[in-house]
Amino acid sequence: MTSNGAVQATQLSLQLASGRSLTIEESELVLQDPATVDDRKSKKYRCGRQTIPLYNLLWAEAVEDNFTIEYAQLSDKSFHVGKWTLPISTTDERSESSPETFATELRSRAYGDAQQRRRTYVLVNPNAGPGNGIKRWQNEVKPIFDAARMEMDIVFLKKGGEAMELVEQMDIHKYDTIIPCSGDGTPHEVFNGLAKRPDARLALSKIAVGHIPCGSGNAMSCNLYGSHKPSYAALALVKGVVTPLDLVSITQGNARIISFLSQSLGVVAEGDLATEHLRWMGSARFDYGVISRVFRKKVYPCDIAVQLEVEKPQVKEHYKRHASVPSLRKAAAEQADEDEGNGLPKLRFGTIKDDLPVGWELVPYDKVGTFYCGNMAYMAPDVHFFPAAMATDGCMDLITMNGDIPTFKALKAFLSVDSNKFFDLPYVHYKKVKAYRIIPRDQKDGYISIDGEKVPFEPFQAEVHQGLGRVISKRGMFEAEGPANWDKVTVSERLHA
């Protein structure tokens, strides 16, 4: 037994030729070699022990007289495929299992709850971000997927909206996952393509969406894999687990859009959408766009009504409760599975064209500078806008800030999102909501962003659906630390609570 009560896996060994052996230990594969290197001139001494973390192991099999192992090897700040080819001993009777049985057990322990050989629909967007999506896919990602024996159909996208069309028409029984190699725009298309299908509920619950980061923001990858580097995301996708994800219905005019990431109006929306011509800057374009508008003290008058779930003083306790009880994630998945019908869930609060729901009150916000609602924690690398966001708590995290606060305070707020101090600032209004309606005023044209995509500058309404979608995440939760000082419980303890 381990210290947390889990059953510790027993060691298993395989004898190889020339006195070498492989041993599966708790978290790594060990190669023991009786040979040593002792070169006193170069002052090098190495004992015959080499290891591979089980998380990095991609594949193992016995092929004729050799035992082959392929794994993700970290070098030059990215993962590359390494390979061991080890002759098998045909006479040694000390092995605890046959090479074939050992390979099967090794893969089982290395993958854990992850699915081996996922059937994957890969959508590569050549124009994402700086425009090097194809190169990143071919050099940093595909070799890892090939080594893991993933079954892939690969499409190189040629136009905007193509991903949505492909997903709407795809055979969902042919694949386990869809993986866009892109920025956050292509996952947005994927979720909406699944949502447009007659069997939307089944498609969204069956197909897990992943992400290889090739764009400017890469928020999805940051949240699910803790990195915006393609090779890190590739390894996490190979070893990741299917995780329920709350999705949001946006109604605007006669349209219903699915949002997986965020909705914004004001400084953040303009800082993103009005800097499209600066894509060559990468994620730095967001900083430039936001800071330049903060200095102008821009305000965006609007009326807002919300279905409130948690006020700011109780948000940390809400986060603690959900982070500590993994069964809540299971409950979210079961709730989505039990919903009746094939299409999207019915809207509990109606659409933007309906009368204001009972109990809602439109509140005028004459000086709002930032209206930002998030469904994930990170909005870009190190941009931790929504520290209390969770994958399946059935809530959206809503932030509002006035646009007329002193410039140095506004700058302090936006510059603090990478240090997890943003949440506690007194002029950052943070709450968790189930739904909301926002009506812009006094401005004929402007920017509204849904998952980073521009939509008409018109009133819209949002409503969350708990556990409606599926993603592949690294550990079954977001890779974010939560609100600062919310609790002294470690990430490991939370995972095993």
Side-chain angles (χ1 to χ4, degrees), residues 193-394:
L194 294 171
K196 288 168 67 70
R197 298 170 59 100
D199 60 352
R201 196 84 54 90
L202 174 62
L204 286 165
S205 65
K206 184 183 184 303
I207 300 293
V209 182
H211 184 220
I212 293 296
C214 297
S216 300
N218 302 312
M220 187 173 183
S221 180
C222 293
N223 285 284
L224 299 181
Y225 317 123
S227 176
H228 62 285
K229 297 179 180 179
S231 66
Y232 282 70
L235 178 57
L237 279 162
V238 169
K239 292 302 186 71
V241 293
V242 175
T243 305
L245 179 72
D246 296 345
L247 297 177
V248 179
S249 278
I250 307 294
T251 60
Q252 188 180 53
N254 294 319
R256 182 177 179 180
I257 304 169
I258 293 297
S259 171
F260 79 96
L261 179 61
S262 66
Q263 311 92 47
S264 62
L265 180 152
V267 166
V268 172
E270 285 198 11
D272 179 4
L273 297 175
T275 59
E276 285 285 329
H277 61 292
L278 301 175
R279 280 184 172 271
W280 57 270
M281 294 177 64
S283 60
R285 71 182 177 91
F286 301 118
D287 299 332
Y288 168 79
V290 168
I291 291 173
S292 64
R293 282 154 182 81
V294 166
F295 274 104
R296 289 183 244 167
K297 291 189 176 182
K298 294 196 69 173
V299 296
Y300 308 81
C302 57
D303 299 324
I304 303 172
V306 303
Q307 180 68 33
L308 180 65
E309 182 71 8
V310 184
E311 290 276 17
K312 185 174 182 177
Q314 289 78 46
V315 165
K316 290 185 180 181
E317 179 59 33
H318 172 95
Y319 182 92
K320 176 182 177 180
R321 184 170 68 253
H322 283 252
S324 301
V325 186
S327 61
L328 288 177
R329 296 193 289 274
K330 181 179 178 182
E334 291 174 348
Q335 177 177 323
D337 291 338
E338 290 173 1
D339 287 341
E340 297 179 358
N342 294 319
L344 289 176
K346 293 182 179 179
L347 296 168
R348 291 173 294 164
F349 302 103
T351 75
I352 189 64
K353 301 179 77 173
D354 296 324
D355 293 337
L356 203 65
V358 175
W360 288 26
E361 178 185 0
L362 275 173
V363 177
Y365 285 73
D366 296 329
K367 297 182 179 180
V368 68
T370 297
F371 175 94
Y372 205 4
C373 193
N375 199 39
M376 290 186 169
Y378 287 103
M379 294 294 109
D382 300 321
V383 181
H384 201 199
F385 258 110
F386 302 100
M390 307 188 72
T392 57
D393 69 344

Side-chain angles (χ1 to χ4, degrees), residues 26-44:
E26 184 177 3
S27 61
E28 61 187 8
L29 176 68
V30 178
L31 171 63
Q32 291 282 7
D33 189 339
T36 59
V37 174
D38 188 356
D39 186 348
R40 300 186 186 280
K41 291 183 179 180
S42 60
K43 297 181 179 180
K44 290 181 180 180

Side-chain angles (χ1 to χ4, degrees), residues 146-207:
D146 283 336
R149 307 303 193 267
M150 291 177 70
E151 300 176 21
M152 295 177 284
D153 285 340
I154 305 162
V155 176
F156 295 94
L157 302 174
K158 298 180 177 63
K159 61 179 181 178
E162 183 180 1
M164 188 184 304
E165 296 172 1
L166 291 170
V167 170
E168 186 179 358
Q169 301 298 325
M170 69 181 282
D171 179 0
I172 61 171
H173 300 289
K174 188 178 178 181
Y175 304 102
D176 304 305
T177 180
I178 301 173
I179 301 180
C181 299
S182 64
D184 295 309
T186 307
H188 174 81
E189 287 192 30
V190 168
F191 281 116
N192 279 275
L194 294 171
K196 288 168 67 70
R197 298 170 59 100
D199 60 352
R201 196 84 54 90
L202 174 62
L204 286 165
S205 65
K206 184 183 184 303
I207 300 293

